[in-house]
């Protein structure tokens, strides 16, 4: 909620103090910040050798930046499809309606960690993430 027309309060967050939740795709997620009407920020983690469920989003799109670990991201939108390597420094987009799934390399030194911006903010509904068919068998619950 804004404190004056067009203004939002300053907020700060520490990933180590954030609630640990399970994202609809099965990855660990730590929600951090929200700018009402604009976007939200979260950090995702996936243990070595794990594979998420394939999903698409009904109303949000995302920008990701990998901060640790390694793995792969599969994306499909319309008639196009690709798999990209994920490593520290890699940034990727998940446009609205894109089916996606990601996995961590089994020999990774630690979890795959992704900082993600969701636009608009994550709505918090069970209907946002829709199950999709992906290329890999999910290993998370």
């Amino acid at each position: 909620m804004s404190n004056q027309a067009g203004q939002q309060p300053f907020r700060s967050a520490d990933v180590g103090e954030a609630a640990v939740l399970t994202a609809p795709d099965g990855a660990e997620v730590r929600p951090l910040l929200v700018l009402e009407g604009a976007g939200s920020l979260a950090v995702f983690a996936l243990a070595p050798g794990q594979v998420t469920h394939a999903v698409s989003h009904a109303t949000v799109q995302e920008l990701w930046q990998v901060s640790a670990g390694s793995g792969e991201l599969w994306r499909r939108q319309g008639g196009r499809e690709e798999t990209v390597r994920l490593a520290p420094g890699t940034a990727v987009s998940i446009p609205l309606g894109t089916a996606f799934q990601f996995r961590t390399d089994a020999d990774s030194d630690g979890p795959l960690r992704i900082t993600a911006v969701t636009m608009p903010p994550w709505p918090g509904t069970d209907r946002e993430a829709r199950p999709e068919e992906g290329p890999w068998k999910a290993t998370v619950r």
Side-chain angles (χ1 to χ4, degrees), residues 51-54 72-74 99-103 134-138:
V51 180
T52 64
H53 295 276
E72 293 181 300
L73 167 68
W74 165 83
F100 68 96
Q101 183 179 30
F102 62 104
R103 65 183 180 179
W136 309 303
K137 181 179 176 173

Side-chain angles (χ1 to χ4, degrees), residues 6-137:
Q7 292 186 355
Q8 296 193 39
F10 293 133
R11 293 189 173 97
S12 300
D14 184 310
V15 71
E17 297 173 3
V20 180
L21 307 173
T22 302
D25 61 16
E28 173 188 291
V29 61
R30 294 173 185 249
L32 296 174
L33 298 170
V34 176
L35 283 172
E36 297 299 328
S40 55
L41 179 70
V43 173
F44 294 85
L46 191 64
Q50 298 255 299
V51 180
T52 64
H53 295 276
V55 297
S56 64
H57 294 151
T59 65
V60 301
Q61 49 196 344
E62 295 181 335
L63 296 173
W64 292 6
Q65 194 268 331
V66 178
S67 60
S70 61
E72 293 181 300
L73 167 68
W74 165 83
R75 297 178 282 192
R76 180 185 68 226
Q77 184 183 60
R80 60 189 172 149
E81 183 174 347
E82 71 173 14
T83 300
V84 295
R85 288 290 305 154
L86 298 175
T90 303
V92 296
S93 65
I94 311 286
L96 182 62
T98 299
F100 68 96
Q101 183 179 30
F102 62 104
R103 65 183 180 179
T104 306
D105 294 335
D107 61 353
S108 185
D109 290 341
L112 177 62
R113 292 196 189 282
I114 298 166
T115 302
V117 174
T118 302
M119 301 159 291
W122 185 258
T125 67
D126 292 339
R127 294 176 291 182
E128 178 60 34
R130 304 173 294 204
E132 298 283 353
E133 290 293 323
W136 309 303
K137 181 179 176 173

